[in-house]
Amino acid sequence: ALRPFTEKGVVLTGKKLSKKRKDEPQETFKEAKSLQAKAYFRLGSAQLAAADFEEAVNSFDKSAKCSKEADLQVEDAVVRKLNEAKRQRKQKKEKERKKFKFMFSS
């Protein structure tokens, strides 16, 4: 769970992220969300390489969401990888349907 910020201007601190530090500047929030988006992008890329398409789509969606929360433009690479993960997920499902189509038909 990549959640250093719960809301703008509040940072969670401490080993268990149980303490709150208030009155953080807006730039700190943007920087943290940008780094969080980057982390989700890298996680999604690894999941895509491991053929875990469902989780890759979720990670790329979270990356885009973090960018939007920080009022940043979603990078083209994120959109491209998200579309690739969705396409491969769809191909995998179609392949599985074909594989099991005749198993259950009478």
Side-chain angles (χ1 to χ4, degrees):
L2 305 170
R3 297 179 51 193
F5 282 88
T6 55
E7 56 194 67
K8 292 182 182 181
V10 177
V11 178
L12 298 177
T13 61
K15 289 183 182 178
K16 296 183 180 180
L17 298 178
S18 57
K19 301 174 186 173
K20 290 186 178 183
R21 189 171 67 211
K22 298 184 183 239
D23 300 324
E24 282 294 314
Q26 180 67 16
E27 282 304 311
T28 305
F29 178 78
K30 279 188 170 186
E31 184 179 339
K33 282 297 182 179
S34 175
L35 290 172
Q36 190 176 24
K38 187 176 183 179
Y40 276 124
F41 176 77
R42 288 183 176 176
L43 177 63
S45 296
Q47 290 165 334
L48 185 61
D52 189 359
F53 306 120
E54 195 68 40
E55 290 300 317
V57 168
N58 291 338
S59 294
F60 291 129
D61 278 336
K62 288 178 182 178
S63 177
K65 182 182 174 194
C66 289
S67 294
K68 289 176 185 174
E69 285 177 0
D71 298 325
L72 300 171
Q73 183 178 356
V74 179
E75 293 185 26
D76 292 337
V78 174
V79 175
R80 194 168 43 252
K81 289 271 193 169
L82 176 61
N83 290 334
E84 180 183 344
K86 285 181 178 179
R87 182 181 51 78
Q88 289 187 5
R89 178 182 65 180
K90 184 178 177 182
Q91 286 177 346
K92 182 179 177 184
K93 284 183 180 181
E94 287 173 1
K95 188 176 179 181
E96 287 173 353
R97 279 191 194 116
K98 283 183 182 180
K99 184 177 179 180
F100 294 109
K101 181 178 180 181
F102 299 107
M103 276 183 127
F104 300 108
S105 62
S106 0

